[in-house]
Amino acid sequence: MTRIMVVDDEPQIVRALSINLRARGYEVTTAGDGAEALAVADLAPPDVVVLDLGLPDTDGIDVIAGLRARSAVPILVLSGRSDSADKVEALDAGADDYVTKPFGMEELLARLRVMVRRVAPPESDDLVVEFGADGSRVRVDLGATRVTRGGDEVRLTPTEWHLLEVLVRHPGRLLSQRQLLTEVWGPGYENAQGNLRLYMGQLRRKLEPDPSRPVHFRNEPGMGYRFEP
């Protein structure tokens, strides 16, 4: 059974989430502050974490760092902080997604389902990802380093391929601009957003059905990009 840890100091939110998650077959553990969250994570390692940033004993960013030191568990931040700088800071610290309070329960549960599907990562580079309509369906074969669209091979530059690989390995996950720039271009390029926009535009032209209205390579303004299969 998938175990989800809810970390929040608002009892009504903890109760609402616990009821909804248990009703859908998840095991739920809870914590009301950062210290308790790390202690619970050590005793009963969660598969997914829902974390509030505004905790009474420490900032949620420090809890993210503590969890990341232990494992690669997916972390969904649930916070009243709506400023884009707070969102980017949380994502750069290691969070996988960010939902702002007040939130819709169905949207939150949908985000969690995506994370649960990613709990078991691929064991090798033989991962194959397919997306798009049948007539122009895109097939990304990481093991063969090959992309086809509608059966025809798509030629990508090394940088385009690296960017695509990072995105398809994390379906549904919001990746910050800084994360993508560091992963694809390396240290020193954290602020080269122009590079990222350029290559995302090229990927969309080659792989999206309508590059002007992307449905698979989505932009979250001021935050980053998300691959939606």
Side-chain angles (χ1 to χ4, degrees):
M1 182 183 294
T2 301
R3 178 183 295 139
I4 298 179
M5 180 170 71
V6 178
V7 185
D8 201 303
D9 63 337
E10 297 184 51
Q12 65 273 26
I13 289 181
V14 173
R15 182 173 182 275
L17 282 173
S18 297
I19 291 172
N20 278 276
L21 290 170
R22 288 183 177 125
R24 287 162 175 80
Y26 298 113
E27 179 183 347
V28 180
T29 58
T30 64
D33 58 43
E36 185 181 6
L38 297 179
V40 171
D42 286 337
L43 289 172
D47 297 304
V48 178
V49 175
V50 179
L51 173 68
D52 180 25
L53 292 184
L55 300 173
D57 62 334
T58 186
D59 192 277
I61 299 296
D62 296 326
V63 180
I64 293 173
L67 291 169
R68 279 286 162 266
R70 291 161 166 79
S71 73
V73 59
I75 301 171
L76 188 152
V77 168
L78 181 62
S79 177
R81 304 177 189 176
S82 59
D83 188 89
S84 62
D86 292 314
K87 297 178 182 179
V88 170
E89 183 182 12
L91 293 168
D92 284 341
D96 296 89
D97 206 345
Y98 196 111
V99 174
T100 303
K101 297 179 181 178
F103 61 93
M105 184 62 71
E106 290 306 316
E107 178 190 357
L108 181 67
L109 292 171
R111 300 278 185 97
L112 283 174
R113 285 194 294 272
V114 171
M115 289 188 167
V116 168
R117 288 196 293 269
R118 293 194 292 104
V119 167
E123 296 181 356
S124 71
D125 283 340
D126 295 334
L127 177 67
V128 175
V129 177
E130 295 189 12
F131 58 92
D134 290 341
S136 59
R137 192 160 182 79
V138 176
R139 187 176 192 271
V140 181
D141 187 332
L142 296 183
T145 318
R146 187 169 184 262
V147 181
T148 58
R149 182 177 180 184
D152 297 324
E153 187 162 359
V154 178
R155 295 189 179 277
L156 300 180
T157 67
T159 300
E160 290 169 352
W161 172 261
H162 195 176
L163 179 58
L164 175 65
E165 181 181 11
V166 173
L167 289 164
V168 301
R169 284 190 182 278
H170 302 90
R173 176 178 173 180
L174 178 60
L175 300 175
S176 73
Q177 295 182 27
R178 181 180 292 268
Q179 283 177 289
L180 289 168
L181 286 165
T182 302
E183 177 69 24
V184 178
W185 281 270
Y189 285 84
E190 294 87 350
N191 297 313
Q193 287 89 355
N195 286 13
L196 187 55
R197 285 194 296 271
L198 173 65
Y199 280 89
M200 283 301 304
Q202 292 175 187
L203 276 184
R204 285 168 170 167
R205 282 193 293 275
K206 293 180 179 182
L207 304 179
E208 287 277 4
D210 181 355
S212 64
R213 297 180 180 179
V215 294
H216 301 296
F217 300 96
R218 307 290 296 273
N219 173 234
E220 299 281 351
M223 296 171 62
Y225 293 87
R226 188 194 309 271
F227 169 62
E228 297 286 1

